[in-house]
Amino acid sequence: MITQIATLAVMAVFYIAYFTKALQQRKQGVSTMILGEGNKPQSEKNIEICLKILSFTLPVVEIISIYWNLMDLPFWWQWIGIGVAALGVVFFCAGMLTMKDSWRAGIPEKKETTLVTNGIYRVSRNPAFVGFDMLYLGILAAFPNAWHACFVAATIYIFHRQILNEENYLIRTFGEEYIQYKKRVRRYL
């Protein structure tokens, strides 16, 4: 029971941080959630729509998996999963806070962003996505089942596709500056 409560608390911190940032940006007139919106190529739109669907569906699958806790895993193993998930929240928040008002969920149609290469972006070009992945994989490790694993795998795959689309956008937008940054810093870790 304690592992279930701890995992739900980690999820709550994550989603409170995410939605608080989105609301702050909205108050400043910044559109944060632009997944699947605008005049983008259809292939980019499709990836973003899948990402939006999975981003809202996976937490439901996670909560069900946590509630039912189908596997009787060792207590210590569940705590390792919860630790990975909590570390993912730290990565996500560090990435989101470092990006400041350049943070978006989706690719903007016009240059509404600056290239951020400081802070945690010296370690990873995509710390927010690394944070998502760690959160999802940690919760899966603590509360595994087949449906949960399928949703996590699909989400991580779609995240990767989104990252590739974002890299193309950043090359178009920032050119050589981004190419040099790519040479210095890894995509994930």
Side-chain angles (χ1 to χ4, degrees), residues 4 58-71 78 139-140 142-149:
Q4 292 165 311
L58 181 56
V60 174
V61 172
E62 288 175 326
I63 289 169
I64 291 168
S65 297
I66 292 165
Y67 177 75
W68 272 313
N69 192 15
L70 297 175
M71 296 189 74
Q78 287 187 304
I139 295 171
L140 176 63
F143 299 98
N145 64 62
W147 281 106
H148 191 178

Side-chain angles (χ1 to χ4, degrees), residues 155-173:
T155 303
I156 289 173
Y157 171 74
I158 293 297
F159 278 159
H160 179 71
R161 296 286 307 274
Q162 178 67 14
I163 287 168
L164 297 177
N165 287 340
E166 288 182 8
E167 286 179 352
N168 290 332
Y169 163 78
L170 292 168
I171 289 170
R172 289 189 311 269
T173 305

Side-chain angles (χ1 to χ4, degrees), residues 67-184:
Y67 177 75
W68 272 313
N69 192 15
L70 297 175
M71 296 189 74
D72 190 25
L73 295 174
F75 195 64
W76 61 268
W77 179 259
Q78 287 187 304
W79 280 109
I80 289 173
I82 295 165
V84 169
L87 188 57
V89 173
V90 170
F91 257 80
F92 174 80
C93 289
M96 182 180 62
L97 292 172
T98 303
M99 290 274 293
K100 298 179 181 166
D101 287 335
S102 292
W103 181 68
R104 303 279 186 287
I107 299 171
E109 286 186 82
K110 53 189 180 207
K111 185 179 176 183
E112 300 174 346
T113 186
T114 58
L115 183 61
V116 177
T117 60
N118 62 321
I120 197 162
Y121 287 88
R122 291 181 184 159
V123 177
S124 170
R125 294 194 317 259
N126 298 287
F129 283 113
V130 170
F132 272 113
D133 291 351
M134 291 174 73
L135 174 73
Y136 297 154
L137 289 169
I139 295 171
L140 176 63
F143 299 98
N145 64 62
W147 281 106
H148 191 178
C150 288
F151 272 90
V152 168
T155 303
I156 289 173
Y157 171 74
I158 293 297
F159 278 159
H160 179 71
R161 296 286 307 274
Q162 178 67 14
I163 287 168
L164 297 177
N165 287 340
E166 288 182 8
E167 286 179 352
N168 290 332
Y169 163 78
L170 292 168
I171 289 170
R172 289 189 311 269
T173 305
F174 297 105
E176 190 61 31
E177 183 182 6
Y178 183 71
I179 292 168
Q180 292 304 313
Y181 172 63
K182 271 181 69 170
K183 290 178 182 176
R184 289 190 318 270

